[in-house]
Amino acid sequence: MYTVLYVVSTLGRSGPTGQLHNLITNLSGHFRAQVLTLSKEPEDSLIGRFEASGIEVHTLGLSRVESLLSGKKRLGQYITEFQPDAVHTQGIRADSLVASLRLPNHICTVRNDPHEDYLMKFGPLKGRIMARQHVQAVRRIPHPVACSETLARCFREKDIGLFLSSIQNGVNAALYEVPTDDQRKKARRNLGLPEDAIVFVSVGSLIKRKDPLRLIDAFMEIPGEDRVLLMVGDGPLRKDCEARSISDNRIVFTGQTSKVAACLTASDVFVSVSLSEGLPNTVLEAMAAGLPVCLSRIGPHEEILRLGPDAGVLVEPGNTGEICRALLELEAAKEARAGAPRRLIDVHLSAGRMSERYQTKYLEIIEGCG
């Protein structure tokens, strides 16, 4: 049996944490997994989900200052004691710290485009510093992997000489089912939504990169009291979004919720107008629940729909007119598209398929270091 040590900053609720859980829970009996977090868990930690799955989790309990002063030493001691066959990291902090140890069996998964994501999230000055730091760390990692083919191409084009292999994200499709009409109506009753409405759903943080204000503007141009836009998630733009939609009672905000699956069950069409993504979990989860998707025309979204064009439509980022037309098109054709989204997931983007590809990568690394 081979041991794989997964090092992350924390197991805070996020898409990358969900993908890590998908990966580990689909490992074969040939691998033993252990998760090491660098810091104490936040309030929204998913550590309970990992422990309930029988995954061993340890922590160094480092503060940010302690990471700088003694993080490398303490992490090195832990790895020396544990002696893993492979060390797998994700996230700028874990990637950077483990990269400083120069381990030949180090694999990382890059889940964002640092040049876009950090600048949008942290501003031009801090964002550029963080992007440079992350790219430099990835350069020192012997086995870097991107979570999508699009992201791997971005690194090749923007960071000359930096080549990443790609393993596409996957969703645990067993957690989702294509609902019957009765199941959909029941989910709507439980969420306080009209049973006979057409429900469009968007899932994700209310941040600039997700462009939620543009989606709200587009939806408000669509007439009809029998339509609802369900905005699932929270973030710094929450107040702006609520202020923008104050005159339209068809727009419902859930805030942060653990009932994402129920929201998908209650919906007819999923929409994401993000300006940048890795290979988004929310889109994969929506498709696993059978929802046709309206997606902004960015590389990762195009990559998904190339695998199954009937599963959704693409719109130009920032084009409210196109978003309106696409939503109405999907509403009218949702029966004709039924089955295509879930088929795409089962064939191409399941968690099992993703995990198999990582296990093949682990064996290549272990054999190469042996």
Side-chain angles (χ1 to χ4, degrees):
M1 180 180 291
Y2 298 114
T3 58
V4 182
L5 178 65
Y6 297 89
V7 183
V8 295
S9 183
T10 71
L11 294 174
R13 183 183 297 274
S14 67
T17 300
Q19 284 296 324
L20 180 61
H21 185 266
N22 288 345
L23 166 57
I24 296 175
T25 53
N26 281 276
L27 289 175
S28 73
H30 297 297
F31 293 92
R32 173 198 170 198
Q34 185 178 110
V35 175
L36 177 67
T37 63
L38 300 175
S39 297
K40 295 178 181 179
E41 293 303 301
E43 289 185 4
D44 64 348
S45 173
L46 295 180
I47 188 171
R49 183 188 297 181
F50 282 73
E51 292 175 338
S53 299
I55 300 169
E56 191 176 348
V57 181
H58 297 265
T59 185
L60 294 180
L62 300 169
S63 68
R64 296 281 176 171
V65 173
E66 288 172 330
S67 288
L68 293 173
L69 297 178
S70 62
K72 179 180 178 179
K73 179 180 179 181
R74 290 183 58 185
L75 181 60
Q77 290 172 339
Y78 187 97
I79 291 174
T80 298
E81 181 179 343
F82 184 58
Q83 287 292 302
D85 294 293
V87 179
H88 192 160
T89 61
Q90 64 181 29
I92 181 174
R93 191 171 168 218
D95 289 348
S96 299
L97 197 55
V98 177
S100 69
L101 298 174
R102 299 286 186 169
L103 302 175
N105 61 348
H106 182 188
I107 173 176
C108 75
T109 299
V110 180
R111 300 191 182 278
N112 68 342
D113 180 348
H115 301 286
E116 291 186 1
D117 192 21
Y118 294 146
L119 266 66
M120 284 191 220
K121 188 173 182 179
F122 300 106
L125 179 58
K126 184 177 180 181
R128 285 193 179 92
I129 293 172
M130 291 179 66
R132 188 179 304 113
Q133 176 190 345
H134 203 172
V135 170
Q136 289 174 346
V138 174
R139 285 188 183 279
R140 297 197 301 271
I141 296 171
H143 308 284
V145 176
C147 70
S148 70
E149 296 169 1
T150 303
L151 193 54
R153 185 169 61 250
C154 285
F155 271 83
R156 287 196 300 271
E157 293 173 351
K158 296 178 181 179
D159 302 290
I160 298 173
L162 185 48
F163 290 85
L164 281 68
S165 57
S166 63
I167 297 178
Q168 293 169 317
N169 283 344
V171 64
N172 188 351
L175 298 178
Y176 303 88
E177 61 178 345
V178 179
T180 64
D181 287 341
D182 287 343
Q183 288 172 325
R184 184 174 287 110
K185 288 181 178 181
K186 180 180 178 181
R188 291 179 180 182
R189 287 196 298 270
N190 292 338
L191 293 169
L193 301 174
E195 288 186 23
D196 297 321
I198 297 295
V199 179
F200 301 98
V201 63
S202 176
V203 181
S205 300
L206 301 179
I207 56 178
K208 181 179 178 182
R209 179 169 61 84
K210 300 288 187 179
D211 208 12
L213 291 167
R214 188 82 60 179
L215 173 57
I216 289 170
D217 288 343
F219 178 78
M220 290 176 66
E221 292 184 13
I222 301 175
E225 292 299 318
D226 59 343
R227 296 184 176 93
V228 171
L229 174 60
L230 186 61
M231 301 287 288
V232 181
D234 210 338
L237 292 182
R238 171 75 178 269
K239 290 183 179 179
D240 292 336
C241 289
E242 289 178 333
R244 183 73 62 90
S245 62
I246 194 168
S247 63
D248 195 329
N249 60 11
R250 302 173 303 162
I251 301 176
V252 177
F253 296 89
T254 70
Q256 193 70 39
T257 178
S258 60
K259 299 179 179 179
V260 174
C263 292
L264 296 177
T265 298
S267 302
D268 296 289
V269 174
F270 178 89
V271 54
S272 169
V273 295
S274 289
L275 304 176
S276 177
E277 292 285 355
L279 198 74
N281 288 358
T282 54
V283 175
L284 305 187
E285 290 167 356
M287 297 173 82
L291 298 183
V293 294
C294 171
L295 305 177
S296 51
R297 192 182 296 278
I298 57 176
H301 288 164
E302 292 177 306
E303 182 176 334
I304 292 171
L305 287 185
R306 275 198 299 270
L307 300 171
D310 291 341
V313 297
L314 295 165
V315 296
E316 287 302 318
N319 191 319
T320 55
E322 275 200 33
I323 297 169
C324 291
R325 289 189 292 273
L327 293 179
L328 291 173
E329 175 188 335
L330 289 173
E331 174 187 328
K334 62 188 182 73
E335 298 299 330
R337 294 178 183 270
R342 179 58 185 247
R343 239 183 347 263
L344 185 155
I345 295 299
D346 289 338
V347 174
H348 298 287
L349 297 175
S350 69
R353 181 179 175 84
M354 172 191 68
S355 187
E356 287 175 0
R357 296 183 67 191
Y358 273 110
Q359 290 172 73
T360 299
K361 190 74 174 178
Y362 296 153
L363 290 175
E364 292 174 359
I365 294 169
I366 293 166
E367 290 170 0
C369 294

